[in-house]
Amino acid sequence: MLFIAWVSYYLFGKSIQSAIQTLIPITAGIVMGILIQLLGKTLGSHLGSVGFPLSVFLFIGALSYLSKSKFLNNIPAWFIGLIIFFGVHPSIEFKPILSLFVPIIAGLGFAYINDSTLNLLSKKNIKFLKKHE
């Protein structure tokens, strides 16, 4: 998860603002994963093996409408949230779900620190080289 969040920082803008704007649809994707899981179980109890795929179809179909919102318009970030949720497959309880955000926020933070340090060093190297020409 940390690496997925890290790469998200670079994919979606390389700034604190873009990281926050990416975290919103990633969170929405995790919430959607929870809802898919819950509805899939409910539908599965009535429809059998068709329940979960039908749940996925309904929620992913709704995603095109949800993504029209300014803060939720990053569809790839929604899917990153879904990948994180279904990849880790935590129990649907507050603490396990909340614990998903530790590596996500750490990954975005580490990427910011890495990128900022690289930019700072690049600027210093350019000044150093110009000074010694």
Side-chain angles (χ1 to χ4, degrees), residues 8-21:
S8 295
Y9 176 85
Y10 288 97
L11 287 174
F12 302 123
K14 293 174 46 173
S15 72
I16 290 177
Q17 181 179 358
S18 68
I20 292 168
Q21 290 172 342

Side-chain angles (χ1 to χ4, degrees), residues 8 10 12 20 23 38 50 69 77 79 85 95 99 109 112 121:
S8 295
Y10 288 97
F12 302 123
I20 292 168
L23 187 58
L38 294 173
V50 176
S69 168
F79 278 95
F85 177 76
K95 189 175 179 181
S99 70
Y112 170 76
L121 291 174

Side-chain angles (χ1 to χ4, degrees), residues 42-101:
T42 302
L43 292 176
S45 67
H46 299 294
L47 303 173
S49 63
V50 176
F52 185 76
L54 180 59
S55 177
V56 171
F57 176 76
L58 292 172
F59 276 98
I60 299 303
L63 179 55
S64 59
Y65 298 99
L66 294 170
S67 68
K68 299 302 178 191
S69 168
K70 179 182 177 183
F71 295 108
L72 300 174
N73 64 358
N74 188 337
I75 291 176
W78 277 84
F79 278 95
I80 288 171
L82 286 164
I83 290 165
I84 288 169
F85 177 76
F86 285 109
V88 174
H89 209 63
S91 59
I92 301 178
E93 297 172 7
F94 183 73
K95 189 175 179 181
I97 299 298
L98 187 61
S99 70
L100 294 175
F101 291 93

Side-chain angles (χ1 to χ4, degrees), residues 2 22 30 34 48 53 64 71 78 86 92 97 114 118 120 125:
L2 184 134
T22 300
I30 291 170
I34 294 166
S64 59
F71 295 108
W78 277 84
F86 285 109
I92 301 178
I97 299 298
N114 185 61
L118 180 62
L120 182 65
N125 282 338

